[in-house]
Amino acid sequence: MTNRKNVFKLRLINTLLFIVLFYIQYNGVFTIKIASANPMLTLALLVTVCMFSSELTSAISGLLLGIFVDSVASTPPGFNAIIFMIIAVASSLIVKHLFNNNVWAGAALCALCAVFYYLLRWVFCIAFTTSLKDNLTYIMETIFPSVLYTAVFAIPFYFIEKKLYNKFYK
């Protein structure tokens, strides 16, 4: 039986992790960008958290994280909130019904979710305002490296979340 205090502690730790990664990703002081590849640290953590969470917890986590990302992003209002909530629920359902819950499945799922996010962001924010050459350059030089870079960050986040969930749920 899971203790309510343990669940609260786990959610508090995950919230603090999201805040730290959000600050690292969106501050202007330092960056973890390599060339034009910029990882979505919060997306990688969201996917790994949702791998161990229920659908309702995943939906709430995705919605709240999306609202915070919307507050600093240049996308249309509500875009990230909706997309992150969809990604969170889909990640939870895919792990429960399709994928195994292991580190490689986590990295693959993170890559799929990052492709989904970046392509939707490209379609709604960039595709119709630039030329074909600029669009192809953006896809090849920014989206694909960013997807791979985001998936790499899912590996340590998976082990952190697995350790946290084993500690607080057992």
Side-chain angles (χ1 to χ4, degrees):
M1 191 73 183
T2 304
N3 188 353
R4 288 178 62 98
K5 281 187 179 182
N6 287 342
V7 172
F8 177 74
K9 288 178 190 176
L10 177 65
R11 289 184 181 158
L12 182 64
I13 291 170
N14 280 335
T15 302
L16 292 175
L17 281 172
F18 276 122
I19 290 170
V20 167
L21 291 178
F22 181 78
Y23 180 73
I24 289 171
Q25 185 168 346
Y26 290 107
N27 73 1
V29 178
F30 62 94
T31 181
I32 56 173
K33 186 185 245 190
I34 297 177
S36 62
N38 194 11
M40 285 286 295
L41 299 176
T42 52
L43 179 67
L45 183 63
L46 178 68
V47 170
T48 55
V49 165
C50 294
M51 289 178 72
F52 296 97
S53 299
S54 69
E55 291 84 8
L56 179 63
T57 304
S58 298
I60 292 170
S61 300
L63 182 65
L64 291 176
L65 180 63
I67 289 170
F68 281 111
V69 173
D70 272 334
S71 68
V72 296
S74 61
T75 56
F79 175 80
N80 288 308
I82 294 168
I83 298 301
F84 278 21
M85 186 174 69
I86 291 169
I87 287 172
V89 173
S91 298
S92 182
L93 289 171
I94 287 171
V95 167
K96 285 183 180 43
H97 300 291
L98 219 59
F99 284 1
N100 292 329
N101 195 347
N102 59 37
V103 68
W104 302 117
L109 184 60
C110 184
L112 289 173
C113 291
V115 166
F116 178 73
Y117 173 77
Y118 280 114
L119 286 179
L120 281 178
R121 194 175 92 183
W122 171 71
V123 166
F124 285 107
C125 302
I126 298 167
F128 300 112
T129 60
T130 59
S131 67
L132 178 63
K133 180 184 174 193
D134 291 338
N135 278 325
L136 292 175
T137 302
Y138 181 76
I139 290 171
M140 298 308 287
E141 290 184 1
T142 304
I143 290 180
F144 288 134
S146 297
V147 165
L148 294 175
Y149 199 16
T150 302
V152 167
F153 276 100
I155 295 170
F157 294 157
Y158 176 85
F159 287 117
I160 291 169
E161 286 303 315
K162 184 175 181 180
K163 185 170 177 97
L164 286 173
Y165 274 85
N166 285 339
K167 180 178 181 181
F168 289 108
Y169 273 96
K170 291 187 179 184

